[in-house]
Amino acid sequence: MTLSSDAPALPGRAVIAQRWSGAVFVHWRVPPETVERMLPHGVRPDTFDGSAWVGLVPFVLSDFRFLPLPTVPLLGTFAEINVRTYGIDDAGRRSVVFRTLEAEHLLPVLAARVLFGLPYRWARIGVRASDDVIEYRSRRRRVDGRATGPGTRIAVRVGDTPVDTPLSRFLTARWGFHETHLGRTRWAANEHPAWPLVDADLLALSDDLVFDAGFGELAGRAPDSVLAMPARHPGFLTSFAAPVIVPTSKGHR
């Protein structure tokens, strides 16, 4: 399977734009049946070499805005960490399927849950970057705001060897997400430049988020792929179209 690293044109009007930078992609192989029960109706596991994949992906988000309005004030720049897998529907639309998404600011957490049904969680997240090393630390906040929930620490040394392989495209060239919202499966497309991926070495990983998302069998297991955005890369703008309803037959997954 060869996926294009270039996004197709959005099928509808863009409604949200944001900038992504500092991304790290940590992935594990899992049997397809491990993720099948977690997918929205009408979506089946998307596989590479017979395996489904689970990702732990931190990055920095900035310049968030509802189009055509300007950047939302007071949000500034904040980190996000998601646990995800990958699906495909009967129309051939490949996607990210999020299990959880941690974010620092409460306002976008609430907005994304209401507008898209995405499983965002409010968290305290720190980012440190020096030379070629980037580190993310996160701890989920409880309802009272105390950061005592599941968390993660990820540290990688970002390499300088470009990576563009069938696997790297499968894991990152994802031009939409599937989610269940208001009882229906929906698909929202996104558009952005091709990911400028490089190799990366995992220096530290102490994680509760993947376990909390239902993948306890991955606890303590070394990842099968570690990729990153180049150090000091300025990031790129991405835009999302309004979600569309995915037709599904009763009982079909």
Side-chain angles (χ1 to χ4, degrees):
M1 176 193 348
T2 301
L3 300 180
S4 173
S5 58
D6 297 314
L10 290 179
R13 180 176 63 88
V15 296
I16 287 177
Q18 54 193 229
R19 182 178 297 275
W20 294 344
S21 58
V24 175
F25 297 88
V26 179
H27 280 93
W28 294 264
R29 290 177 179 268
V30 296
E33 55 269 25
T34 298
V35 305
E36 186 173 16
R37 60 185 174 81
M38 302 178 180
L39 302 179
H41 287 288
V43 181
R44 61 187 183 276
D46 199 1
T47 61
F48 185 91
D49 284 348
S51 295
W53 291 75
V54 173
L56 179 65
V57 182
F59 63 96
V60 175
L61 188 150
S62 59
D63 298 339
F64 178 87
R65 60 194 181 114
F66 295 101
L67 298 172
L69 300 174
T71 301
V72 177
L74 303 179
L75 288 186
T77 298
F78 61 94
E80 179 177 310
I81 303 175
N82 62 69
V83 178
R84 58 202 255 181
T85 187
Y86 304 107
I88 184 170
D89 63 23
D90 288 342
R93 292 174 291 212
R94 288 187 157 90
S95 69
V96 173
V97 178
F98 296 106
R99 292 294 294 157
T100 60
L101 305 99
E102 317 292 303
E104 285 186 272
H105 285 309
L106 185 58
L107 178 59
V109 166
L110 296 176
R113 290 177 70 93
V114 171
L115 294 176
F116 295 107
L118 289 170
Y120 266 93
R121 305 289 189 267
W122 186 25
R124 183 182 66 196
I125 306 177
V127 185
R128 291 196 305 177
S130 58
D131 297 327
D132 58 350
V133 174
I134 185 167
E135 179 181 359
Y136 289 86
R137 291 176 180 260
S138 175
R139 184 65 59 187
R140 189 175 299 166
R141 295 183 185 274
R142 304 294 188 185
V143 175
D144 60 6
R146 291 186 301 165
T148 58
T152 194
R153 177 189 173 224
I154 310 166
V156 302
R157 175 171 288 110
V158 180
D160 53 15
T161 302
V163 177
D164 184 12
T165 66
L167 177 59
S168 71
R169 292 185 181 190
F170 174 87
L171 297 174
T172 65
R174 294 277 153 180
W175 310 118
F177 65 82
H178 283 103
E179 190 54 66
T180 302
H181 186 40
L182 301 178
R184 307 290 293 272
T185 298
R186 299 170 191 266
W187 180 77
N190 65 41
E191 181 182 47
H192 58 74
W195 282 102
L197 297 172
V198 295
D199 62 326
D201 293 323
L202 186 66
L203 302 179
L205 177 61
S206 178
D207 178 73
D208 302 322
L209 298 180
V210 171
F211 180 91
D212 182 73
F215 302 107
E217 69 275 18
L218 298 181
R221 194 180 115 188
D224 297 289
S225 173
V226 182
L227 300 168
M229 183 179 283
R232 295 173 294 279
H233 191 282
F236 51 72
L237 289 173
T238 182
S239 54
F240 289 85
V244 298
I245 295 174
V246 176
T248 59
S249 59
K250 185 175 182 181
H252 175 66
R253 181 169 291 280

